[in-house]
């Protein structure tokens, strides 16, 4: 758990009970309190309805196909039981207590997305009095939405999801309507743009149906698509890459023997990347590399094949 907190309230004995209080209440203080009470009374019911209180409950639902793990976060008030994981299909709930912080609850939580380089993040600013505000962000291929979060001691709901029904990173609208991609800059167009255009339709995991939508084919776990390329990126001597699990793999031996690798390297890399597609990690069913007792094409350093170059996938 990587918890960063503002102020460190309630950690190390600086909780609200330990806050210093005025030694005595002055006559001026009493007068100020009376004015404040009169002001509150005059504001009437609408002000009372806006009171946000000192508690905020966050419900986070993960409707995507990826498990989430707790990433960098920061918040004020008392320590909260943030979830270490929110697995695919699960909902996590936690309650924040401002514990005397006059700002109410202010904070941010991010979650790592399994096998994605970017995170999803939510933040809240729920004052003791007044309307609460929230933000949420999700990387490409995912969406996050929000509801609720106002009223006294509010509950706010965040829902994280794929941006497509089949969770393959291709938006549903692209599958329904097609899309033209300019490979030079990756920009998407609904009509062909000058130059080379790639037309995207249903993708490997779904087919168009007769009402213009799409239906899952169930092909993804069975069919695998392999590309033999030179290098993944100029100056990157990686031998290949593949999602775990997945349908696609790339063998890239341009930095290996004779810029194509030996036959053993080609076979070993193909098997290694296909193994990732079939849900094998570098340690078999464990994502632990370099296990000395694990003799497998999945292990590093490669046991049976790639003998030159640098393997990083
Ligand atoms: Zn690998």
């Amino acid at each position: 758990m990587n918890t960063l907190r503002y102020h460190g309230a309630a950690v190390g004995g600086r909780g609200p009970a330990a806050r210093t209080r005025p030694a005595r209440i002055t006559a001026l203080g009493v007068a100020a309190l009376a004015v404040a009470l009169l002001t509150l009374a005059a504001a009437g019911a609408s002000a009372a309805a806006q009171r946000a209180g000192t508690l905020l409950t966050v419900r986070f639902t993960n409707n995507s196909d990826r498990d989430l793990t707790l990433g960098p976060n920061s918040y004020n008030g008392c320590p909260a039981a943030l979830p270490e994981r929110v697995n695919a299909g699960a909902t996590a709930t936690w309650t924040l207590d401002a514990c005397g912080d006059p700002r109410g609850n202010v904070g941010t939580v991010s979650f790592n997305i399994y096998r994605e380089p970017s995170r999803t993040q939510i933040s809240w600013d729920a004052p003791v009095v007044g309307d609460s505000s929230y933000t949420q962000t999700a990387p490409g291929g995912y969406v996050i939405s929000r509801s609720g979060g106002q009223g006294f001691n509010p509950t706010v709901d965040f829902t994280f999801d794929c941006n497509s029904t089949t969770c393959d990173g291709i938006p549903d609208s692209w599958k329904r309507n097609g899309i033209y991609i300019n490979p030079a800059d990756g920009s998407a167009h609904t009509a062909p743009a000058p130059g080379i255009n790639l037309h995207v339709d249903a993708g490997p995991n779904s087919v168009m149906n007769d009402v213009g939508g799409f239906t899952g084919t169930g092909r993804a776990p069975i069919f695998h698509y392999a590309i033999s390329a030179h290098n993944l990126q100029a100056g990157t001597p990686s031998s290949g890459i593949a999602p775990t699990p997945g349908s696609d793999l790339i063998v890239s031996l341009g930095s290996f023997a004779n810029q194509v690798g030996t036959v053993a390297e080609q076979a070993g890399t193909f098997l290694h990347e296909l193994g990732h597609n079939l849900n094998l990690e570098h340690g078999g069913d464990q994502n632990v590399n370099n296990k000395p007792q694990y003799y497998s094409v999945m292990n590093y350093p490669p046991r049976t094949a790639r003998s030159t170059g640098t393997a990083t996938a």
Side-chain angles (χ1 to χ4, degrees):
M1 183 169 166
N2 182 11
T3 301
L4 310 165
R5 291 196 183 88
Y6 309 134
H7 298 317
V11 176
R14 282 194 60 245
R19 284 178 198 281
T20 56
R21 296 178 186 282
R24 59 196 173 89
I25 299 172
T26 64
L28 186 61
V30 171
L33 181 63
V35 170
L37 287 173
L38 283 170
T39 306
L40 270 180
S46 64
Q50 284 189 345
R51 274 183 53 84
T54 60
L55 299 179
L56 171 65
T57 299
V58 180
R59 269 198 307 249
F60 190 101
T61 297
N62 177 8
N63 282 340
S64 80
D65 64 342
R66 300 295 178 98
D67 293 344
L68 304 177
T69 54
L70 187 62
N73 58 83
S74 64
Y75 58 93
N76 64 331
C78 288
L82 300 184
E84 291 293 330
R85 306 182 62 87
V86 188
N87 287 338
T91 296
T93 304
W94 66 93
T95 296
L96 300 148
D97 187 342
C99 280
D101 191 319
R103 296 173 301 163
N105 286 291
V106 183
T108 297
V109 164
S110 61
F111 289 102
N112 308 301
I113 306 167
Y114 184 65
R115 292 196 176 280
E116 295 281 6
S118 305
R119 299 185 177 100
T120 185
Q121 180 172 298
I122 61 174
S123 63
W124 57 87
D125 181 354
V128 177
V129 177
D131 291 339
S132 301
S133 59
Y134 305 90
T135 61
Q136 63 280 333
T137 59
Y142 298 90
V143 292
I144 185 167
S145 61
R146 184 188 76 238
S147 63
Q150 300 300 336
F152 182 68
N153 287 342
T155 295
V156 60
D157 278 278
F158 293 95
T159 303
F160 177 77
D161 204 346
C162 308
N163 76 338
S164 72
T165 310
T166 47
C167 282
D168 56 9
I170 303 173
D172 290 353
S173 66
W174 291 18
K175 292 169 181 163
R176 291 194 183 96
N177 309 318
I179 195 79
Y180 293 92
I181 307 287
N182 182 345
D185 59 7
S187 57
H189 307 272
T190 53
I196 300 171
N197 287 271
L198 302 175
H199 188 248
V200 176
D201 55 20
N205 199 33
S206 56
V207 292
M208 303 291 288
N209 62 28
D210 55 3
V211 293
F214 55 91
T215 322
T217 59
R219 286 190 303 186
I222 306 167
F223 284 65
H224 294 268
Y225 300 84
I227 292 176
S228 186
H230 184 68
N231 268 330
L232 294 181
Q233 190 176 348
T236 306
S238 174
S239 57
I241 193 167
T244 307
S247 305
D248 319 294
L249 63 97
I250 296 174
V251 174
S252 51
L253 293 167
S255 298
F256 290 69
N258 300 318
Q259 299 191 30
V260 294
T262 64
V263 170
E265 286 166 346
Q266 293 169 11
T269 304
F270 181 84
L271 277 176
H272 179 97
E273 305 305 343
L274 183 62
H276 281 313
N277 271 190
L278 298 174
N279 207 25
L280 288 174
E281 306 274 8
H282 292 142
D285 60 355
Q286 298 172 307
N287 191 13
V288 177
N289 210 344
N290 302 299
K291 286 160 72 175
Q293 81 284 16
Y294 183 55
Y295 290 89
S296 167
V297 73
M298 299 309 296
N299 200 2
Y300 280 25
R303 297 295 181 193
T304 61
R306 300 164 294 171
S307 56
T308 60
T310 304
T312 57

